[in-house]
Structure formats: structure tokens, C-alpha cells
Amino acid sequence: MDQEIRPLLAKVEHAYHIVGKKWVNFILHVLMEGPKRFSELNTLIPDLSKRILNERLKELEGCGLLTRTVIPDRPVRTEYSLTVKGQELGTALSHVEKWAIKWL
């Protein structure tokens, strides 16, 4: 039993590590509405510095939660959007948001 539980607990711990980082939940919440450019994210989350936003976007992309798409217009634009994996996490976190609104 112990050997069956350990891999599951490791996955849960990793998930909490991801969503426990400051600003991750806000970024996922905003991207649940649809793809956004860096400047849009920065405007929609005004207390988040550009440096930290860039860092979190790279981390979320590395985890497979979002994709970064370069649009070769003039000027070149970059959009961020949630993957299916990111959308499912965003949906799960929306339940936490509802709980927070009700109880906190």
C-alpha cells in the first residue's frame, strides 16, 4: 500500500508546488477567458511586475499548462493561451475561488 501511495502523493505535492506560487492562480484565471498578449496580462494583473509575469509564464509553459504563440504580424505579437491541461487546472481552481467568495 505504501508504495502505491507515494507516487500519488508526489504528484499532488508537485501540483501544490505549482499553484502555490504567487500570481499563478491570477494568471490562470485571466487566461481562462481566452488567449492574451503579455501586455494584456500585465494590464489585467496590475500589481504583478513584468519580471515576475515573464518568469511565471515561462514556468507555466514548462509545466505544459500554457502555450506561447508568436504571431508574425507587424509588429510581431506573442499570445499566451491555456492548454487542455491548463484549462482543467483553471476549472479546478474556479471551485476554490467560489469557496473563497462564500467562506472568506
Side-chain angles (χ1 to χ4, degrees):
M1 176 79 169
D2 187 43
Q3 289 185 356
E4 294 174 16
I5 283 244
R6 283 185 187 201
L8 297 175
L9 290 177
K11 287 183 178 190
V12 171
E13 183 178 2
H14 185 68
Y16 279 123
H17 177 73
I18 292 167
V19 299
K21 287 191 174 185
K22 192 166 185 178
W23 303 111
V24 165
N25 297 324
F26 290 103
I27 294 167
L28 293 174
H29 176 83
V30 170
L31 289 175
M32 286 292 286
E33 299 170 4
K36 300 281 185 278
R37 293 187 320 271
F38 184 92
S39 60
E40 291 176 297
L41 289 167
N42 192 238
T43 300
L44 292 167
I45 312 172
D47 293 337
L48 175 56
S49 73
K50 290 179 181 181
R51 182 182 67 81
I52 297 296
L53 175 58
N54 188 48
E55 190 177 297
R56 292 297 179 263
L57 291 171
K58 285 181 181 179
E59 291 169 356
L60 293 171
E61 184 180 13
C63 293
L65 296 171
L66 63 82
T67 58
R68 179 180 180 269
T69 305
V70 177
I71 301 165
D73 287 344
R74 289 213 185 263
V76 173
R77 294 181 300 139
T78 303
E79 281 189 345
Y80 297 89
S81 57
L82 294 177
T83 61
V84 172
K85 183 178 173 180
Q87 289 171 350
E88 286 188 19
L89 179 56
T91 300
L93 292 173
S94 72
H95 294 290
V96 175
E97 291 173 20
K98 290 175 189 172
W99 176 86
I101 291 167
K102 181 177 181 179
W103 294 103
L104 299 179

XYZ file of all heavy atoms in Angstrom:
849
model
N 0.817 -1.191 0.000
C 0.000 0.000 0.000
C 0.862 1.257 0.000
O 0.603 2.189 -0.735
C -0.934 -0.036 1.210
C -1.768 1.194 1.378
S -3.142 1.166 0.262
C -4.075 2.501 0.880
N 1.900 1.278 0.842
C 2.765 2.444 0.961
C 3.407 2.789 -0.389
O 3.499 3.952 -0.750
C 3.825 2.187 2.028
C 4.645 3.430 2.307
O 4.048 4.522 2.400
O 5.878 3.309 2.427
N 3.837 1.771 -1.142
C 4.478 2.017 -2.425
C 3.487 2.503 -3.477
O 3.871 3.168 -4.425
C 5.204 0.764 -2.901
C 6.443 0.484 -2.074
C 7.236 -0.688 -2.625
O 6.835 -1.339 -3.564
N 8.380 -0.941 -2.011
N 2.221 2.183 -3.313
C 1.196 2.658 -4.251
C 0.871 4.127 -3.990
O 0.575 4.873 -4.917
C -0.080 1.822 -4.114
C 0.082 0.385 -4.543
C -1.163 -0.440 -4.258
O -2.236 0.130 -4.023
O -1.043 -1.669 -4.260
N 0.905 4.539 -2.744
C 0.509 5.890 -2.361
C 1.598 6.914 -2.643
O 1.303 8.039 -2.997
C 0.119 5.896 -0.862
C -1.237 5.289 -0.731
C 0.267 7.213 -0.217
C -2.323 6.168 -0.233
N 2.835 6.545 -2.485
C 3.931 7.505 -2.635
C 3.940 8.225 -3.981
O 4.080 9.445 -4.008
C 5.269 6.834 -2.375
C 5.521 6.622 -0.915
C 6.882 6.075 -0.667
N 6.980 5.739 0.745
C 8.081 5.619 1.391
N 9.229 5.777 0.766
N 8.086 5.320 2.670
N 3.808 7.522 -5.110
C 3.795 8.249 -6.391
C 2.614 9.216 -6.502
O 2.747 10.296 -7.063
C 3.688 7.148 -7.451
C 4.107 5.896 -6.767
C 3.779 6.077 -5.322
N 1.474 8.829 -5.940
C 0.309 9.718 -5.972
C 0.555 10.962 -5.135
O 0.237 12.078 -5.551
C -0.938 8.980 -5.476
C -1.387 7.784 -6.312
C -2.559 7.079 -5.645
C -1.747 8.226 -7.712
N 1.112 10.780 -3.954
C 1.404 11.923 -3.083
C 2.438 12.844 -3.717
O 2.352 14.067 -3.578
C 1.880 11.448 -1.711
C 0.832 10.778 -0.836
C 1.453 10.288 0.467
C -0.329 11.719 -0.556
N 3.387 12.287 -4.426
C 4.404 13.098 -5.104
C 3.751 13.975 -6.171
O 4.106 15.152 -6.316
C 5.475 12.206 -5.717
N 2.792 13.426 -6.898
C 2.090 14.203 -7.924
C 1.268 15.325 -7.292
O 1.254 16.457 -7.779
C 1.183 13.305 -8.766
C 1.942 12.430 -9.726
C 1.001 11.609 -10.577
C 1.786 10.763 -11.567
N 0.914 10.137 -12.553
N 0.589 15.007 -6.207
C -0.226 16.019 -5.519
C 0.680 17.117 -4.965
O 0.375 18.307 -5.081
C -1.083 15.374 -4.414
C -1.760 16.425 -3.558
C -2.114 14.430 -5.026
N 1.785 16.727 -4.374
C 2.727 17.716 -3.839
C 3.248 18.618 -4.949
O 3.361 19.837 -4.788
C 3.887 17.009 -3.140
C 4.865 17.973 -2.502
C 6.003 17.281 -1.771
O 6.069 16.038 -1.770
O 6.827 18.000 -1.194
N 3.551 18.041 -6.106
C 4.032 18.824 -7.247
C 2.951 19.810 -7.713
O 3.245 20.968 -8.010
C 4.453 17.896 -8.389
C 5.061 18.623 -9.541
N 6.279 19.256 -9.462
C 4.607 18.833 -10.805
C 6.558 19.815 -10.631
N 5.547 19.576 -11.460
N 1.701 19.371 -7.739
C 0.594 20.250 -8.137
C 0.481 21.432 -7.172
O 0.315 22.584 -7.596
C -0.721 19.473 -8.182
N 0.574 21.152 -5.867
C 0.508 22.239 -4.878
C 1.699 23.183 -5.013
O 1.577 24.389 -4.784
C 0.418 21.685 -3.458
C -0.972 21.257 -3.077
C -1.224 19.953 -2.653
C -2.047 22.133 -3.142
C -2.499 19.545 -2.300
C -3.320 21.748 -2.784
C -3.546 20.453 -2.363
O -4.811 20.061 -2.026
N 2.832 22.654 -5.388
C 4.011 23.494 -5.598
C 3.759 24.472 -6.754
O 4.119 25.646 -6.668
C 5.240 22.623 -5.879
C 6.468 23.404 -6.178
N 7.180 24.093 -5.220
C 7.121 23.624 -7.352
C 8.200 24.705 -5.786
N 8.190 24.434 -7.079
N 3.126 24.002 -7.815
C 2.845 24.851 -8.977
C 1.830 25.932 -8.607
O 2.070 27.121 -8.802
C 2.318 24.018 -10.165
C 3.416 23.100 -10.706
C 1.787 24.921 -11.281
C 2.923 22.027 -11.664
N 0.680 25.526 -8.089
C -0.386 26.504 -7.827
C -0.114 27.347 -6.589
O -0.754 28.382 -6.397
C -1.787 25.845 -7.724
C -2.154 25.157 -9.019
C -1.884 24.906 -6.553
N 0.844 26.932 -5.776
C 1.163 27.691 -4.581
C 2.047 28.898 -4.841
O 2.210 29.750 -3.970
N 2.604 28.999 -6.033
C 3.453 30.144 -6.344
C 2.584 31.386 -6.534
O 1.526 31.338 -7.164
C 4.267 29.891 -7.606
C 5.375 28.907 -7.389
C 6.316 28.875 -8.552
C 7.486 27.967 -8.214
N 8.478 28.003 -9.267
N 3.080 32.487 -6.003
C 2.333 33.736 -6.084
C 2.075 34.108 -7.544
O 2.960 33.966 -8.383
C 3.099 34.851 -5.383
C 2.269 36.089 -5.181
C 2.914 37.036 -4.218
C 1.963 38.196 -3.983
N 2.502 39.130 -3.024
N 0.883 34.536 -7.828
C 0.387 35.035 -9.113
C -0.054 33.946 -10.084
O -0.741 34.247 -11.048
C 1.403 35.952 -9.799
C 1.787 37.112 -8.965
C 3.002 37.329 -8.385
C 0.961 38.217 -8.581
N 2.979 38.492 -7.666
C 1.737 39.067 -7.771
C -0.362 38.572 -8.847
C 1.253 40.235 -7.226
C -0.846 39.743 -8.299
C -0.050 40.568 -7.501
N 0.302 32.703 -9.871
C -0.074 31.637 -10.807
C -1.594 31.555 -10.955
O -2.115 31.467 -12.065
C 0.521 30.276 -10.376
C -0.137 29.120 -11.099
C 2.021 30.264 -10.625
N -2.302 31.601 -9.847
C -3.759 31.484 -9.911
C -4.383 32.641 -10.672
O -5.338 32.452 -11.431
C -4.351 31.380 -8.505
C -3.891 30.132 -7.792
O -3.728 29.092 -8.407
N -3.653 30.240 -6.501
N -3.852 33.849 -10.492
C -4.375 35.004 -11.214
C -4.131 34.862 -12.716
O -4.999 35.169 -13.529
C -3.729 36.298 -10.715
C -4.154 36.687 -9.330
C -3.321 36.486 -8.258
C -5.406 37.255 -9.110
C -3.706 36.841 -6.980
C -5.801 37.621 -7.840
C -4.951 37.418 -6.766
N -2.952 34.415 -13.081
C -2.623 34.238 -14.498
C -3.546 33.201 -15.119
O -4.110 33.427 -16.200
C -1.136 33.837 -14.665
C -0.227 34.982 -14.216
C -0.838 33.432 -16.103
C 1.235 34.603 -14.052
N -3.726 32.070 -14.449
C -4.621 31.036 -14.974
C -6.051 31.561 -15.078
O -6.734 31.318 -16.071
C -4.574 29.787 -14.087
C -3.251 29.021 -14.073
C -3.298 27.898 -13.051
C -2.912 28.486 -15.444
N -6.486 32.310 -14.075
C -7.848 32.866 -14.078
C -8.062 33.770 -15.298
O -9.066 33.647 -15.998
C -8.095 33.651 -12.784
C -9.415 34.328 -12.737
N -10.564 33.663 -12.360
C -9.778 35.595 -13.040
C -11.586 34.513 -12.429
N -11.126 35.687 -12.835
N -7.117 34.651 -15.553
C -7.237 35.573 -16.686
C -7.203 34.815 -18.011
O -7.974 35.103 -18.929
C -6.131 36.651 -16.627
C -6.076 37.459 -17.907
C -6.356 37.571 -15.430
N -6.344 33.807 -18.113
C -6.237 33.057 -19.366
C -7.424 32.128 -19.601
O -7.636 31.676 -20.727
C -4.924 32.276 -19.414
C -3.675 33.135 -19.598
C -2.418 32.280 -19.511
C -3.719 33.888 -20.921
N -8.221 31.861 -18.558
C -9.447 31.066 -18.748
C -10.418 31.801 -19.674
O -11.245 31.189 -20.330
C -10.133 30.775 -17.407
C -9.433 29.740 -16.551
S -9.481 28.075 -17.231
C -11.195 27.631 -16.925
N -10.297 33.117 -19.743
C -11.160 33.922 -20.614
C -10.745 33.850 -22.074
O -11.490 34.252 -22.947
C -11.145 35.379 -20.143
C -11.654 35.554 -18.728
C -11.404 36.954 -18.192
O -10.907 37.820 -18.943
O -11.689 37.171 -17.006
N -9.530 33.367 -22.343
C -9.047 33.253 -23.712
C -7.619 33.747 -23.827
O -7.048 34.263 -22.862
N -7.024 33.589 -25.009
C -5.627 33.986 -25.218
C -5.415 35.472 -24.930
O -6.295 36.302 -25.190
C -5.378 33.694 -26.703
C -6.430 32.720 -27.087
C -7.615 33.025 -26.215
N -4.250 35.774 -24.391
C -3.904 37.157 -24.066
C -2.449 37.415 -24.436
O -1.604 36.531 -24.371
C -4.048 37.422 -22.556
C -5.432 37.195 -21.988
C -6.356 38.346 -22.291
C -7.701 38.203 -21.628
N -8.644 37.359 -22.324
N -2.185 38.674 -24.806
C -0.809 39.107 -25.033
C -0.185 39.459 -23.681
O -0.884 39.691 -22.697
C -0.780 40.320 -25.970
C -1.245 39.992 -27.377
C -1.041 41.153 -28.341
N -1.336 42.470 -27.803
C -2.526 43.056 -27.828
N -3.552 42.430 -28.371
N -2.688 44.268 -27.322
N 1.126 39.535 -23.654
C 1.853 39.862 -22.432
C 1.344 41.182 -21.852
O 1.075 41.281 -20.652
C 3.360 39.948 -22.712
C 4.201 40.176 -21.498
C 4.718 39.107 -20.793
C 4.473 41.462 -21.051
C 5.501 39.310 -19.656
C 5.242 41.679 -19.923
C 5.752 40.595 -19.228
N 1.211 42.184 -22.706
C 0.772 43.495 -22.230
C -0.640 43.446 -21.650
O -0.945 44.156 -20.686
C 0.842 44.534 -23.358
O 0.003 44.149 -24.436
N -1.510 42.618 -22.213
C -2.863 42.468 -21.669
C -2.816 41.841 -20.284
O -3.517 42.293 -19.366
C -3.726 41.599 -22.592
C -4.070 42.238 -23.913
C -4.840 41.279 -24.806
O -4.283 40.239 -25.184
O -6.004 41.586 -25.118
N -2.010 40.792 -20.137
C -1.869 40.156 -18.823
C -1.335 41.150 -17.811
O -1.828 41.236 -16.685
C -0.935 38.943 -18.919
C -1.479 37.729 -19.661
C -0.359 36.746 -19.969
C -2.571 37.062 -18.853
N -0.351 41.936 -18.229
C 0.251 42.919 -17.331
C -0.761 43.992 -16.924
O -0.762 44.438 -15.781
C 1.467 43.546 -18.013
C 2.315 44.348 -17.077
O 2.530 45.523 -17.307
N 2.804 43.725 -16.018
N -1.646 44.361 -17.823
C -2.689 45.348 -17.518
C -3.763 44.755 -16.622
O -4.239 45.415 -15.690
C -3.334 45.864 -18.831
O -2.317 46.472 -19.629
C -4.436 46.858 -18.560
N -4.152 43.517 -16.892
C -5.229 42.876 -16.128
C -4.801 42.471 -14.721
O -5.644 42.278 -13.844
C -5.765 41.664 -16.895
C -6.521 42.001 -18.176
C -6.736 40.752 -19.019
C -7.853 42.669 -17.851
N -3.496 42.321 -14.504
C -2.973 41.990 -13.171
C -1.962 43.089 -12.825
O -0.746 42.877 -12.874
C -2.317 40.591 -13.147
C -3.213 39.545 -13.817
C -2.008 40.179 -11.711
C -2.559 38.198 -14.005
N -2.439 44.289 -12.477
C -1.564 45.455 -12.362
C -0.493 45.381 -11.271
O 0.562 45.994 -11.414
C -2.527 46.612 -12.079
C -3.779 45.975 -11.596
C -3.831 44.600 -12.199
N -0.705 44.640 -10.215
C 0.298 44.563 -9.147
C 1.432 43.594 -9.458
O 2.411 43.527 -8.708
C -0.363 44.147 -7.826
C -1.303 45.209 -7.299
O -1.134 46.387 -7.668
O -2.212 44.872 -6.525
N 1.307 42.874 -10.545
C 2.305 41.884 -10.943
C 3.374 42.553 -11.803
O 3.069 43.136 -12.836
C 1.616 40.754 -11.716
C 2.463 39.665 -12.344
C 3.346 38.983 -11.316
C 1.564 38.642 -13.017
N 4.637 42.476 -11.369
C 5.715 43.099 -12.136
C 5.950 42.331 -13.439
O 5.667 41.128 -13.529
C 7.009 43.126 -11.319
O 7.566 41.834 -11.217
N 6.494 43.016 -14.421
C 6.780 42.392 -15.711
C 7.787 41.247 -15.552
O 7.675 40.228 -16.219
C 7.303 43.424 -16.708
C 6.248 44.397 -17.151
C 6.803 45.410 -18.125
C 5.704 46.376 -18.529
N 6.189 47.373 -19.489
N 8.755 41.436 -14.674
C 9.775 40.406 -14.462
C 9.154 39.126 -13.914
O 9.422 38.033 -14.418
C 10.859 40.916 -13.503
C 11.977 39.919 -13.257
C 13.004 40.432 -12.265
N 12.487 40.572 -10.912
C 12.357 39.560 -10.049
N 12.687 38.330 -10.406
N 11.907 39.766 -8.833
N 8.305 39.250 -12.908
C 7.672 38.071 -12.313
C 6.670 37.464 -13.297
O 6.573 36.240 -13.411
C 6.993 38.407 -10.970
C 8.040 38.865 -9.945
C 6.197 37.222 -10.443
C 9.059 37.794 -9.569
N 5.936 38.303 -14.027
C 4.998 37.780 -15.027
C 5.746 36.939 -16.045
O 5.335 35.813 -16.362
C 4.247 38.925 -15.715
C 3.323 38.522 -16.859
C 2.263 37.521 -16.415
C 2.670 39.756 -17.478
N 6.842 37.438 -16.545
C 7.642 36.700 -17.516
C 8.139 35.377 -16.930
O 8.078 34.330 -17.579
C 8.824 37.557 -17.971
C 9.578 36.937 -19.122
O 8.988 36.498 -20.101
N 10.883 36.888 -18.989
N 8.598 35.424 -15.686
C 9.081 34.222 -15.005
C 7.966 33.182 -14.850
O 8.162 31.998 -15.142
C 9.604 34.637 -13.619
C 10.355 33.594 -12.868
C 10.881 34.165 -11.559
O 11.708 35.095 -11.603
O 10.445 33.673 -10.492
N 6.789 33.614 -14.404
C 5.673 32.689 -14.206
C 5.194 32.108 -15.539
O 4.866 30.930 -15.620
C 4.504 33.379 -13.492
C 4.769 33.768 -12.059
C 5.038 32.549 -11.180
N 5.315 32.957 -9.820
C 6.529 33.111 -9.312
N 7.601 32.872 -10.056
N 6.695 33.495 -8.068
N 5.155 32.929 -16.589
C 4.723 32.422 -17.891
C 5.665 31.332 -18.384
O 5.226 30.303 -18.901
C 4.622 33.562 -18.908
C 3.486 34.554 -18.668
C 3.621 35.750 -19.610
C 2.128 33.900 -18.819
N 6.950 31.533 -18.201
C 7.933 30.509 -18.604
C 7.738 29.225 -17.788
O 7.814 28.127 -18.337
C 9.355 31.031 -18.438
C 9.755 32.021 -19.500
C 11.184 32.501 -19.298
C 11.559 33.518 -20.365
N 12.927 34.024 -20.193
N 7.500 29.376 -16.493
C 7.285 28.204 -15.643
C 6.031 27.446 -16.063
O 6.043 26.213 -16.156
C 7.155 28.632 -14.174
C 8.433 29.143 -13.571
C 8.238 29.815 -12.219
O 7.082 29.965 -11.760
O 9.255 30.202 -11.617
N 4.954 28.178 -16.315
C 3.689 27.534 -16.703
C 3.808 26.875 -18.074
O 3.243 25.809 -18.304
C 2.547 28.549 -16.678
C 2.181 29.070 -15.291
C 1.203 30.233 -15.388
C 1.617 27.963 -14.427
N 4.568 27.489 -18.961
C 4.815 26.871 -20.266
C 5.637 25.597 -20.087
O 5.351 24.564 -20.698
C 5.537 27.856 -21.186
C 5.746 27.328 -22.584
C 6.462 28.309 -23.493
O 7.031 29.312 -23.009
O 6.467 28.047 -24.709
N 6.631 25.655 -19.215
C 7.468 24.487 -18.943
C 6.694 23.329 -18.337
O 7.029 22.166 -18.557
N 5.637 23.648 -17.583
C 4.787 22.617 -16.971
C 3.735 22.090 -17.943
O 2.982 21.176 -17.612
C 4.060 23.184 -15.746
S 5.110 23.589 -14.373
N 3.650 22.703 -19.120
C 2.655 22.273 -20.094
C 1.266 22.824 -19.835
O 0.287 22.305 -20.358
N 1.184 23.901 -19.047
C -0.122 24.480 -18.724
C -0.536 25.572 -19.694
O -1.726 25.889 -19.803
C -0.118 25.032 -17.294
C 0.070 23.978 -16.205
C 0.273 24.640 -14.853
C -1.120 23.037 -16.179
N 0.432 26.163 -20.392
C 0.083 27.167 -21.390
C 1.016 27.063 -22.575
O 2.084 26.454 -22.497
C 0.057 28.582 -20.801
C 1.325 29.209 -20.240
C 2.198 29.805 -21.330
C 0.932 30.305 -19.275
N 0.578 27.661 -23.662
C 1.405 27.714 -24.869
C 1.671 29.168 -25.206
O 0.858 30.048 -24.941
C 0.733 27.038 -26.075
O -0.524 27.659 -26.325
C 0.535 25.564 -25.853
N 2.804 29.370 -25.797
C 3.233 30.701 -26.238
C 3.254 30.667 -27.754
O 3.941 29.838 -28.356
C 4.631 30.975 -25.679
C 5.228 32.271 -26.055
C 6.619 32.371 -25.397
N 7.267 33.602 -25.725
C 8.081 33.774 -26.765
N 8.384 32.757 -27.552
N 8.615 34.952 -26.996
N 2.498 31.555 -28.375
C 2.400 31.582 -29.828
C 2.885 32.929 -30.346
O 2.374 33.971 -29.929
C 0.940 31.367 -30.289
O 0.449 30.152 -29.724
C 0.841 31.300 -31.800
N 3.867 32.900 -31.237
C 4.374 34.121 -31.860
C 3.595 34.339 -33.148
O 3.549 33.459 -34.013
C 5.891 34.025 -32.131
C 6.387 35.268 -32.848
C 6.643 33.799 -30.839
N 2.985 35.511 -33.261
C 2.191 35.860 -34.441
C 3.031 36.836 -35.268
O 3.307 37.950 -34.825
C 0.845 36.479 -34.027
C 0.079 35.473 -33.161
C 0.041 36.885 -35.250
C -1.071 36.062 -32.406
N 3.433 36.406 -36.483
C 4.384 37.197 -37.271
C 3.744 38.373 -38.018
O 3.958 38.558 -39.214
C 4.971 36.165 -38.233
C 3.869 35.181 -38.436
C 3.128 35.130 -37.122
N 2.934 39.167 -37.328
C 2.405 40.402 -37.907
C 3.452 41.493 -37.737
O 4.504 41.278 -37.194
C 1.122 40.833 -37.173
C -0.065 39.943 -37.508
O 0.006 39.198 -38.501
O -1.062 40.006 -36.769
N 3.092 42.666 -38.183
C 3.931 43.839 -37.916
C 3.171 44.736 -36.979
O 2.108 45.209 -37.349
C 4.260 44.576 -39.207
C 5.211 43.808 -40.064
C 6.089 44.816 -40.797
N 6.949 44.138 -41.725
C 8.197 43.820 -41.437
N 8.705 44.114 -40.287
N 8.943 43.214 -42.321
N 3.585 44.967 -35.773
C 4.736 44.345 -35.122
C 4.427 42.907 -34.715
O 3.262 42.515 -34.596
C 4.938 45.219 -33.883
C 3.591 45.742 -33.557
C 2.891 45.899 -34.886
N 5.475 42.151 -34.462
C 5.337 40.767 -34.031
C 4.619 40.756 -32.683
O 4.893 41.576 -31.812
C 6.724 40.087 -33.911
C 6.607 38.710 -33.309
C 7.381 40.012 -35.278
N 3.660 39.842 -32.541
C 2.911 39.721 -31.287
C 3.117 38.329 -30.714
O 3.328 37.376 -31.452
C 1.408 39.930 -31.520
C 1.047 41.316 -31.965
C -0.450 41.495 -32.168
N -0.927 40.570 -33.194
C -2.079 39.900 -33.119
N -2.866 40.032 -32.085
N -2.449 39.097 -34.088
N 3.028 38.233 -29.411
C 3.110 36.952 -28.726
C 1.858 36.791 -27.888
O 1.490 37.698 -27.137
C 4.349 36.882 -27.820
O 5.507 37.127 -28.615
C 4.471 35.526 -27.169
N 1.172 35.667 -28.056
C -0.028 35.378 -27.280
C 0.206 34.155 -26.410
O 0.919 33.237 -26.798
C -1.230 35.104 -28.192
C -1.874 36.329 -28.749
C -3.177 36.015 -29.460
O -3.455 34.839 -29.773
O -3.923 36.952 -29.711
N -0.432 34.182 -25.264
C -0.375 33.060 -24.329
C -1.780 32.498 -24.188
O -2.742 33.249 -24.050
C 0.143 33.530 -22.962
C 1.553 34.042 -23.047
C 1.814 35.381 -23.326
C 2.625 33.181 -22.877
C 3.115 35.845 -23.422
C 3.933 33.644 -22.972
C 4.163 34.980 -23.240
O 5.448 35.441 -23.343
N -1.885 31.176 -24.228
C -3.185 30.535 -24.065
C -2.998 29.237 -23.278
O -1.923 28.635 -23.282
C -3.838 30.252 -25.417
O -3.010 29.450 -26.213
N -4.069 28.838 -22.607
C -4.019 27.618 -21.809
C -4.102 26.383 -22.694
O -4.829 26.370 -23.692
C -5.173 27.590 -20.806
C -5.144 28.645 -19.709
C -6.393 28.524 -18.840
C -3.897 28.525 -18.862
N -3.366 25.368 -22.318
C -3.506 24.065 -22.950
C -4.718 23.378 -22.312
O -5.308 23.911 -21.363
C -2.247 23.207 -22.688
O -2.120 23.025 -21.276
C -0.996 23.851 -23.253
N -5.064 22.208 -22.778
C -6.155 21.447 -22.163
C -5.817 21.187 -20.692
O -6.659 21.330 -19.815
C -6.404 20.123 -22.927
C -7.380 19.242 -22.183
C -6.889 20.409 -24.338
N -4.578 20.846 -20.447
C -4.112 20.610 -19.077
C -4.291 21.867 -18.216
O -4.766 21.795 -17.076
C -2.628 20.219 -19.150
C -1.955 19.858 -17.868
C -0.510 19.449 -18.204
C 0.344 19.206 -17.013
N 1.719 18.815 -17.380
N -3.960 23.027 -18.764
C -4.121 24.288 -18.048
C -5.576 24.649 -17.832
O -5.955 25.177 -16.782
N -6.421 24.371 -18.826
C -7.855 24.644 -18.690
C -8.466 23.790 -17.583
O -9.291 24.271 -16.801
C -8.578 24.391 -20.012
C -8.260 25.411 -21.070
C -8.802 25.023 -22.438
O -9.259 23.908 -22.654
N -8.744 25.951 -23.376
N -8.055 22.529 -17.512
C -8.583 21.661 -16.460
C -8.153 22.144 -15.080
O -8.941 22.127 -14.143
C -8.152 20.211 -16.690
C -8.903 19.551 -17.821
C -8.631 18.059 -17.935
O -8.160 17.451 -16.955
O -8.909 17.509 -19.011
N -6.913 22.600 -14.963
C -6.466 23.151 -13.692
C -7.229 24.436 -13.376
O -7.640 24.651 -12.236
C -4.956 23.417 -13.713
C -4.371 24.016 -12.438
C -4.676 23.146 -11.216
C -2.875 24.234 -12.602
N -7.436 25.274 -14.376
C -8.204 26.503 -14.171
C -9.615 26.219 -13.696
O -10.137 26.913 -12.817
N -10.226 25.199 -14.253
C -11.566 24.803 -13.827
C -11.553 24.339 -12.373
O -12.421 24.711 -11.582
C -12.119 23.691 -14.741
O -12.180 24.197 -16.078
C -13.497 23.247 -14.312
N -10.558 23.544 -12.013
C -10.451 23.081 -10.625
C -10.262 24.265 -9.682
O -10.880 24.328 -8.614
C -9.293 22.095 -10.490
N -9.434 25.223 -10.085
C -9.189 26.386 -9.228
C -10.405 27.292 -9.124
O -10.567 28.009 -8.137
C -7.973 27.163 -9.734
C -6.642 26.437 -9.591
C -5.527 27.219 -10.269
C -6.315 26.178 -8.134
N -11.284 27.258 -10.128
C -12.502 28.080 -10.046
C -13.384 27.622 -8.892
O -14.094 28.425 -8.288
C -13.276 28.049 -11.372
O -13.885 26.797 -11.576
N -13.314 26.352 -8.534
C -14.063 25.859 -7.379
C -13.492 26.447 -6.086
O -14.238 26.760 -5.157
C -14.056 24.331 -7.332
C -14.790 23.706 -8.473
N -16.160 23.762 -8.600
C -14.341 23.039 -9.561
C -16.520 23.148 -9.709
N -15.432 22.699 -10.313
N -12.184 26.602 -6.034
C -11.549 27.234 -4.872
C -11.976 28.700 -4.794
O -12.264 29.219 -3.713
C -10.013 27.101 -4.930
C -9.355 27.864 -3.802
C -9.600 25.639 -4.920
N -12.047 29.374 -5.946
C -12.498 30.762 -5.978
C -13.916 30.886 -5.415
O -14.197 31.772 -4.608
C -12.465 31.308 -7.406
C -11.083 31.497 -7.960
C -11.098 31.883 -9.426
O -12.138 32.375 -9.927
O -10.065 31.698 -10.091
N -14.802 29.993 -5.844
C -16.183 30.015 -5.349
C -16.220 29.784 -3.846
O -16.969 30.435 -3.122
C -17.027 28.972 -6.083
C -17.296 29.328 -7.522
C -18.026 28.206 -8.243
C -18.094 28.506 -9.726
N -18.610 27.379 -10.491
N -15.405 28.861 -3.372
C -15.333 28.585 -1.940
C -14.849 29.831 -1.190
O -15.406 30.210 -0.165
C -14.386 27.410 -1.687
C -14.186 27.130 -0.233
C -14.954 26.348 0.571
C -13.141 27.645 0.597
N -14.450 26.345 1.847
C -13.345 27.134 1.890
C -12.057 28.489 0.363
C -12.495 27.447 2.948
C -11.210 28.794 1.416
C -11.442 28.275 2.695
N -13.818 30.484 -1.730
C -13.252 31.679 -1.082
C -14.281 32.801 -1.003
O -14.411 33.469 0.026
C -12.012 32.141 -1.824
N -15.022 33.000 -2.080
C -16.055 34.045 -2.093
C -17.110 33.761 -1.044
O -17.586 34.650 -0.347
C -16.668 34.177 -3.505
C -15.621 34.760 -4.453
C -17.934 35.011 -3.478
C -15.975 34.646 -5.914
N -17.471 32.503 -0.898
C -18.518 32.125 0.062
C -18.023 32.172 1.503
O -18.735 32.637 2.391
C -19.025 30.729 -0.263
C -20.139 30.256 0.654
C -20.672 28.897 0.247
C -21.802 28.459 1.176
N -22.343 27.169 0.771
N -16.821 31.719 1.760
C -16.390 31.488 3.130
C -15.344 32.447 3.690
O -15.125 32.476 4.895
C -15.878 30.060 3.276
C -16.980 29.071 3.091
C -17.219 28.313 1.979
C -18.012 28.723 4.024
N -18.316 27.525 2.165
C -18.841 27.754 3.419
C -18.321 29.161 5.317
C -19.933 27.210 4.049
C -19.417 28.609 5.954
C -20.217 27.643 5.316
N -14.662 33.189 2.845
C -13.612 34.070 3.374
C -14.024 35.525 3.337
O -14.784 35.967 2.578
C -12.312 33.868 2.585
C -11.739 32.467 2.643
C -10.455 32.395 1.807
C -11.422 32.043 4.074
